[in-house]
Amino acid sequence: MGSKEQSLALVVVLIVAAMLLQCTESLVPFGANYGASTDATHTRVQAGGDHVDLVLDATSAAAFASKNKYLFGSIGMGTKLVPGNSAGTVTAYYLSSEGGQSVRSVHDEMDFEFLGNSSGQPYILQTNVFAQGKGDREQKITLWFDPTAEYHSYSLLWNKNIIVFYVDTVPIRVFKNNEAKDVPFPNNQGVGIYASLWDGSAWATQGGSVPLDWKAAPFVASFKGFGVDACAVGNSVAACTAGNGNWWDSEQYQDLNANQIRQLKNIRQKYVLYDYCTDTERNLVTTECASNWYE
Ligand SMILES: *[C@@H]1O[C@H](CO)[C@@H](O)[C@H](O)[C@H]1NC(C)=O
């Protein structure tokens, strides 16, 4: 085969693989791996666990969480965000060693946070990484599609070398292991998987100037795809750090390939609204930035 045919064949294989992955994931009911954190009015398990609606109203926020904690693997979910006037709402999908409770000095966290907006205005997707208690790594992008129209996948590939944030199949952000440069990396404790929908209007909308419009309540965000392809941490993390032939430890997943680097650079050029790496005012520019942007 010529190289064009080869690329085409690879694309077909990837598409089929993605379809299979979606099928198997949607077959795992919510209750197999997750449980509601708020009552049945606010965490609505639908169609036998096929999908879950988080419902925010004036009485309560809404949330669910994984039953296990995980260390390395591929973790993600299909999400359909609050339609219409969602200004002030925050839909969060995140991994945390602390479950968003009391934050220990060594807590690890990887976040997708979707900041709602007025009808017709674009959502902002904010991501962040905390490693050993150190965060302050916000990036904000706009999305190239309407995230309220249908489910899109938001996922993380996480192994000893790299954390890749994906929107569908597109890498939007990378956080590499830079321990050699004294940058902590999340690699020694399990994280739970959390989703929540809450009133973030105190900070999410232009510094709190746009309050949430409760007349538009209830606000509903939907989630599906509850399979987890990651190493579940039992009593010890050793089984996950040993790298016993898990696919995410194989060489091809240790870094982005050339095509993915092109995709990431395209995101950076067209969609980044804010990046801590270029925030000279807060002066958070650190040694990790150049390698995470493939400069
Ligand atoms: C809402 O959209 C406008 C652009 O139309 C943008 O300037 C603003 O930052 C957005 N707000 C949020 C909270 O995403």
Side-chain angles (χ1 to χ4, degrees):
M1 284 194 292
S3 70
K4 236 186 205 155
E5 284 87 345
Q6 270 175 347
S7 322
L8 190 65
L10 183 65
V11 167
V12 170
V13 168
L14 285 176
I15 289 171
V16 171
M19 281 162 54
L20 286 173
L21 192 68
Q22 263 175 0
C23 287
T24 40
E25 282 196 346
S26 62
L27 289 176
V28 178
F30 175 74
N33 291 322
Y34 295 88
S37 311
T38 44
D39 64 36
T41 307
H42 298 91
T43 306
R44 291 188 189 151
V45 181
Q46 309 281 24
D50 169 74
H51 62 281
V52 169
D53 292 339
L54 291 183
V55 180
L56 165 68
D57 61 22
T59 66
S60 176
F64 64 83
S66 65
K67 295 177 177 173
N68 281 312
K69 286 195 168 184
Y70 301 91
L71 179 54
F72 301 137
S74 172
I75 299 175
M77 214 170 269
T79 304
K80 192 163 64 168
L81 299 176
V82 176
N85 181 5
S86 59
T89 68
V90 175
T91 305
Y93 174 68
Y94 63 104
L95 310 181
S96 173
S97 58
E98 294 297 304
Q101 304 297 316
S102 62
V103 171
R104 281 187 300 144
S105 60
V106 294
H107 107 287
D108 293 330
E109 187 174 316
M110 294 154 248
D111 302 322
F112 285 97
E113 286 180 314
F114 303 90
L115 315 183
N117 212 330
S118 315
S119 292
Q121 301 294 315
Y123 265 81
I124 289 174
L125 167 54
Q126 172 168 298
T127 56
N128 202 356
V129 176
F130 289 75
Q132 304 289 302
K134 162 89 172 61
D136 288 333
R137 294 191 172 95
E138 293 90 355
Q139 287 180 6
K140 291 181 179 179
I141 67 168
T142 51
L143 295 166
W144 49 95
F145 52 83
D146 174 2
T148 71
E150 39 195 292
Y151 287 94
H152 286 268
S153 148
Y154 305 92
S155 64
L156 292 153
L157 171 72
W158 176 28
N159 59 42
K160 289 175 189 173
N161 279 0
I162 200 166
I163 298 166
V164 186
F165 288 73
Y166 284 98
V167 172
D168 294 321
T169 57
V170 180
I172 59 147
R173 177 171 188 178
V174 160
F175 185 74
K176 286 192 184 176
N177 185 331
N178 276 306
E179 283 181 313
K181 295 179 190 161
D182 287 332
V183 181
F185 187 79
N187 56 11
N188 64 7
Q189 57 187 338
V191 295
I193 309 171
Y194 301 90
S196 59
L197 173 59
W198 46 285
D199 174 6
S201 57
W203 65 275
T205 37
Q206 294 148 28
S209 59
V210 183
L212 200 136
D213 177 12
W214 288 110
K215 288 196 296 294
F219 303 99
V220 180
S222 304
F223 297 82
K224 72 173 188 180
F226 301 112
V228 181
D229 197 3
C231 185
V233 174
N235 294 327
S236 109
V237 301
C240 298
T241 54
N244 292 328
N246 292 314
W247 64 262
W248 53 83
D249 287 324
S250 63
E251 199 177 332
Q252 73 203 93
Y253 297 106
Q254 301 305 304
D255 202 351
L256 298 187
N257 63 35
N259 186 43
Q260 292 173 320
I261 293 170
R262 269 195 297 277
Q263 289 178 310
L264 183 71
K265 288 187 167 171
N266 183 50
I267 295 293
R268 186 185 181 189
Q269 273 169 13
K270 293 188 184 149
Y271 300 105
V272 171
L273 298 173
Y274 173 85
D275 178 8
Y276 75 108
C277 285
T278 56
D279 190 338
T280 46
E281 234 167 80
R282 282 169 78 197
N283 199 18
L284 300 166
V285 183
T286 59
T287 47
E288 73 216 36
C289 290
S291 70
N292 291 332
W293 281 120
Y294 294 86
E295 279 172 351

